[in-house]
Amino acid sequence: MILYDAQRHIFHLQTEEFSYVMQILEDGQLIHRYFGQRVNYFGDHPLVLLNRSFSPNPTASDRTYSLDTQLLEYSTNGLGDFRESAIAVSYEDGSSLDLRYRQHRIYKGKKALAGLPSSYGDDDQVESLEIDLYDDYLDLTVTLFYSLFPETNMLAKSVKVRAGQRAVCLEKVLSLSLDLPDSAYQVHTLNGRYAQEKLWTISELRQGKFSIESRRGASGHAQTPFIALADEQVTEDSGQVYSAHLIYSGNFVAFAEVNQLEMTRLGIGINDYHFRWRLEAGEEFQTPEALLSYTNRGFSGMTQTSHHFIRKHILSGKYKEKTRPILVNNWEATYFQFTEQKILELAEVASQAGIEMLVLDDGWFGHRDDDNSSLGDWFLYQAKLPNGLAHLVQKVNEKGLDFGLWFEPEMISEDSNLYRQHPDWAIQMAGRSHRFGREQLVLDLTKPEVCDYIVKSVTAVLESANISYVKWDMNRNITNPSDDLANDVKQEFYHRYMLGLYDILERLTKAFPEVLFESCSGGGGRYDLGMLCYMPQTWTSDNTDAISRLSIQEGTSLIYPTLTMGAHVSAVPNHQVGRLTPLETRGHVAMMGNLGFELDLTKLSTQDLSGIKEQVKTYKAIRDTIQLGDFYRLSTKSENEKAYCQVSSNRDQAVLTYVKILAQPESPISRIKLKGLDPDACYDCDLLGRSYYGDELMRIGLDMPLIQQDYQSVQYLFNKKRGENL
C-alpha cells in the first residue's frame, strides 16, 4: 500500500516484504529516508545533520545541512551534490537544476508509458504515486512515477520531464536513483560476450564508482540492464539483496557509487553516451521504466521475486503463462544449404520423435545462399522452395507439426533490392563510408517509412501461410549513427531507434496474437525486459554446448524465468566449442529451459534417435514444472558440479538435475539438498525405486552417483504421492 502522512510529509510504500520511505522537507527537497525490510510504521527519525567541511550549504546560517551529505530521492546537477546526478540539463544561461516538491497524486492501477514497454497490473494488483518536482526558474516539471506491486514485492519507477515556457536540453535523465546510508555491499551483474552471455559476476564495492553500460544500440552480449547490491555474507537463502532492472533494449548505464561518507548511490537508466535531447516549450520526455526490489531471503528470494513478477506483469498475450512447444530448428542441421525436400525429411523424423514444431531458419528469402545478401527482401527464394512457402507449411502441418520462420527485419544487405531502391534507409553518416558486420547494415528505424516497410513486409509473409512462431534475429550493432534532425544540440538517434523498434513490435504482436515471437540477437545480445514485453521467449545463446550452457543458463536464471529461455540439444562435436558430450547430458541441460533441437535428425543413429524420443517424452511429462514452476540453484561441493531443482507451483512435482563436469579420482560423494518441496508430502522417484518425504530431501539430501567420466549428468523426477504414506 501507499501511505501519505500529511502532517509529517512522509510517503511510506509497503509490500509484503519491504518498506520504501520518502519525506518532503520544509524547503521542498524530497529526501529518501529508508528502503529495506518492511516496517509497520516509520517514526520520527531525525535527519543526520553534521557540519562537514567543503560541503556546500543552501543557507549561510546553517552549515549542518548539505545536499552532498543527504540521501536524495532524485538528485540534480549544479547545486552542491557532487555525486553522479540522476538528471542533468543545460539551457541558454546555465546548467543547474533546483527541483522542489509541488504536488502528488495517489491512485489505484498503473498508467502505460507512451511509446515504451512497461510493466502492467490491474487496479487490485498495483497502486501508483506521482510526485511533481518543479524548478520555478526554468518552469520545468519532473514527475516521479512509482507503481507498487505489493504481492510480488516490486516497485516500478520512471520519470517524465516537461518543459514549461523555456526550452531545455536533457543531458542525462535516469529512470532510478537510490541512495543507501552505507556501503557494505558487493555488486552483482550479468556480464559476458558473444556465445558466453549472462555470466554471474561479483565485484567489490569501494569508494568511487562502479558501472556497466552498453553503447551498441542494443543492451548487448557484454552487459545486461540489471544490477544488484548484496550483503557481503549473502547466500542463496539469506541476506539482503537490492536489485534493479531496466525495461529497455538500447544503450543503458547502471552504476553504484560510494561517496566519502560511505553512502551508496545506485542508478540505472538510458546511457548519456550520444544522448542530448532538446525539449521545446511544452514538450515532454518519458524515461524507460526501472524495477526495484529488496529481499532479505538471499539470491533465491531475489530470483523468485523476479521470476514471478516477469511472468505476471511483463509477459503478455496468449503466451504469458502458456507452455512452449518442443521444436527443431534447421540452422545447425543445414545452415543455408537446404531444399524443400530436406526440410520435409527433417519434419518427418521430428514428427516420429514427438517434436511439435519445425522452424525454418536463415536462407529462405531473396537469393540468400550465404550471409552476404538479401536482408530486407522478405519474399520467397523460389529456387530453394519452388512450390511456395504456403505449400511447405501445409506439408509440415500435415505431419503434425506447427511451423516457425526466421526473420532479421532490422537489417539490410547492400546486395538487395531494398538497398538498391532505398540506400538512404541504411543507417549512415554523411561523408563516412559504411562499417559492415556480417556483410550487413542496420535499417534506420527513426524513419517512419522504414518502420512501415518492416511491418508491411513481415505482415505479408505471416499472412501468406500458417506460421505459428517467429524467431526475430538482430546480428549487428549500430555504427555511424546520424540524426536527420541533427544540429549542435541534438543527439537523439539511439533512443529514437528504440522507439521505432518498439512501435514495430507493438503493431506486429497485436496484429498476430496467435504467433509465438522469440527474440534473438546473435543469441542473448538483446535478452532484456524491454523485448520480453513483446516477445515472451528469447534465444539464450548461439552457444549450444551443454557445458557452456551451465553458466549461461545459471546466470540467466538469476533474474529471468525459465519460460523465457530457449535451450536446444545440438550435435557433437559441438559447432561452437568442438566438445563431445553425451546425448543424455545435452538433453538434461536443455530440459532446464524451453526444450528444442538444433541438429540433423535425419543423420542420427537409431540409438540416438531413440534417446531423443525418450527426452521428448520425459519433457512433456515435466514441461509444466520446468516452464511454469519455481527454479532453485542448489549447493554443491565445488564449481566442478552443478545442481538445480525445478518445482511445480503446487509442489506436486520436482525435477533435480545434477551435472558432473570433469571426472576426478577418489572424488568425494556429493550430497544434494533439494528446495521448494512440501515438507510433509511423500514423493515417489521411479528412477531410484523408492519414496522420500519432502523434508527428508530438503534437510538430509540425496547422494549423487559416483561418476567416473567427463560431462555426465543425472535427472531425478519426484512426484507427490496421493492419499498414502511411505
Side-chain angles (χ1 to χ4, degrees), residues 495-625:
H495 185 59
R496 289 193 182 278
Y497 180 95
M498 291 313 309
L499 294 177
L501 175 62
Y502 289 145
D503 173 65
I504 291 167
L505 298 182
E506 179 78 14
R507 291 155 68 184
L508 284 172
T509 54
K510 282 192 173 180
F512 297 95
E514 300 299 313
V515 173
L516 172 59
F517 285 84
E518 179 184 75
S519 67
C520 175
S521 178
R526 204 163 58 184
Y527 197 155
D528 58 64
L529 294 184
M531 296 304 291
L532 287 176
C533 285
Y534 302 102
M535 301 187 177
Q537 184 169 310
T538 302
W539 178 227
T540 313
S541 177
D542 279 355
N543 187 346
T544 56
D545 171 62
I547 302 306
S548 298
R549 273 296 187 112
L550 288 172
S551 58
I552 294 170
Q553 293 179 188
E554 180 173 293
T556 302
S557 80
L558 190 65
I559 53 176
Y560 298 113
T562 302
L563 189 65
T564 68
M565 185 168 62
H568 293 179
V569 175
S570 61
V572 292
N574 176 264
H575 290 197
Q576 288 77 46
V577 301
R579 195 174 354 247
L580 293 163
T581 52
L583 177 62
E584 184 176 49
T585 300
R586 284 176 272 153
H588 289 163
V589 174
M591 278 192 268
M592 287 191 285
N594 298 333
L595 178 64
F597 295 88
E598 191 99 8
L599 72 175
D600 191 345
L601 297 171
T602 68
K603 294 182 179 179
L604 295 181
S605 67
T606 301
Q607 181 179 359
D608 281 351
L609 191 57
S610 176
I612 283 179
K613 290 179 181 178
E614 191 60 34
Q615 288 177 0
V616 170
K617 179 181 177 182
T618 298
Y619 192 73
K620 289 178 178 178
I622 64 175
R623 175 162 42 188
D624 282 2
T625 295

Side-chain angles (χ1 to χ4, degrees), residues 345-488:
E345 290 173 1
L346 190 61
E348 178 64 31
V349 181
S351 177
Q352 294 171 8
I355 292 170
E356 299 160 331
M357 177 181 286
L358 181 140
V359 177
L360 179 60
D361 211 283
D362 195 355
W364 59 268
F365 54 92
H367 62 277
R368 191 160 168 93
D369 292 311
D370 52 36
D371 57 12
N372 296 321
S373 77
S374 302
L375 289 170
D377 293 349
W378 300 111
F379 50 82
L380 194 67
Y381 190 177
Q382 292 288 339
K384 283 187 179 179
L385 302 173
N387 295 309
L389 184 61
H391 177 268
L392 174 63
V393 174
Q394 180 182 348
K395 290 297 183 182
V396 171
N397 290 163
E398 288 173 357
K399 297 179 186 297
L401 300 176
D402 290 333
F403 187 89
L405 198 60
W406 180 95
F407 288 87
E408 196 173 3
E410 297 164 70
M411 301 296 150
I412 185 171
S413 303
E414 269 197 321
D415 181 8
S416 68
N417 292 348
L418 184 65
Y419 187 85
R420 285 183 281 273
Q421 294 169 6
H422 299 286
D424 57 310
W425 283 11
I427 294 173
Q428 54 194 301
M429 186 180 295
R432 299 290 184 189
S433 60
H434 285 313
R435 293 292 183 267
F436 292 91
R438 209 167 174 255
E439 293 300 319
Q440 62 194 53
L441 304 169
V442 186
L443 284 168
D444 187 348
L445 303 192
T446 70
K447 299 177 183 291
E449 62 271 27
V450 175
C451 297
D452 290 343
Y453 170 80
I454 291 173
V455 172
K456 182 179 178 180
S457 58
V458 173
T459 294
V461 176
L462 296 183
E463 288 180 341
S464 72
N466 184 28
I467 296 167
S468 303
Y469 166 104
V470 166
K471 179 179 178 182
W472 184 292
D473 213 341
M474 187 260 200
N475 288 306
R476 165 80 153 79
N477 292 139
I478 293 172
T479 55
N480 283 354
S482 177
D483 282 313
D484 274 354
L485 305 172
N487 55 43
D488 62 346

Side-chain angles (χ1 to χ4, degrees), residues 24-240:
I24 308 163
L25 301 185
E26 289 184 3
D27 64 355
Q29 290 287 344
L30 185 62
I31 302 296
H32 182 79
R33 299 304 309 272
Y34 174 75
F35 182 42
Q37 189 169 358
R38 177 189 168 117
V39 295
N40 292 321
Y41 179 76
F42 186 83
D44 293 321
H45 301 275
L47 291 175
V48 177
L49 300 174
L50 298 172
N51 189 338
R52 295 284 184 176
S53 299
F54 301 104
S55 292
N57 317 116
T59 62
S61 60
D62 184 2
R63 296 188 178 185
T64 66
Y65 175 70
S66 172
L67 296 180
D68 197 39
T69 62
Q70 291 298 320
L71 303 179
L72 305 178
E73 184 58 26
Y74 200 70
S75 59
T76 63
N77 61 322
L79 295 179
D81 176 17
F82 297 107
R83 294 164 287 181
E84 188 76 25
S85 67
I87 185 170
V89 300
S90 61
Y91 43 95
E92 59 187 13
D93 51 352
S95 61
S96 64
L97 186 61
D98 190 2
L99 295 175
R100 308 295 177 105
Y101 169 84
R102 194 172 202 184
Q103 61 186 347
H104 73 272
R105 299 163 292 281
I106 298 174
Y107 53 90
K108 294 289 186 181
K110 181 180 186 294
K111 298 175 182 177
L113 304 187
L116 288 166
S118 61
S119 61
Y120 63 92
D122 298 331
D123 287 0
D124 61 345
Q125 296 174 315
V126 57
E127 189 174 9
S128 295
L129 163 67
E130 298 178 10
I131 302 176
D132 291 338
L133 305 178
Y134 183 68
D135 184 308
D136 59 1
Y137 177 73
L138 287 179
D139 187 25
L140 182 80
T141 302
V142 174
T143 302
L144 308 182
F145 292 89
Y146 304 80
S147 290
L148 191 68
F149 296 79
E151 292 184 1
T152 45
N153 293 304
M154 195 70 77
L155 178 61
K157 301 182 68 175
S158 69
V159 177
K160 183 165 67 177
V161 183
R162 184 180 186 279
Q165 298 302 309
R166 301 183 62 180
V168 64
C169 283
L170 291 175
E171 307 286 348
K172 169 173 55 175
V173 55
L174 296 179
S175 299
L176 178 153
S177 180
L178 172 69
D179 283 357
L180 298 170
D182 45 28
S183 62
Y185 308 111
Q186 291 178 321
V187 188
H188 294 255
T189 54
L190 296 176
N191 304 343
R193 57 189 182 276
Y194 170 71
Q196 199 65 47
E197 301 92 336
K198 300 290 188 292
L199 301 183
W200 185 350
T201 305
I202 304 172
S203 305
E204 297 300 320
L205 192 59
R206 301 181 178 89
Q207 186 170 327
K209 188 171 73 171
F210 170 93
S211 68
I212 59 171
E213 65 177 356
S214 174
R215 300 181 176 190
R216 297 173 173 272
S219 48
H221 296 89
Q223 310 288 354
T224 298
F226 156 82
I227 189 169
L229 300 181
D231 288 345
E232 293 174 342
Q233 303 303 316
V234 70
T235 68
E236 272 290 319
D237 302 308
S238 66
Q240 296 188 112

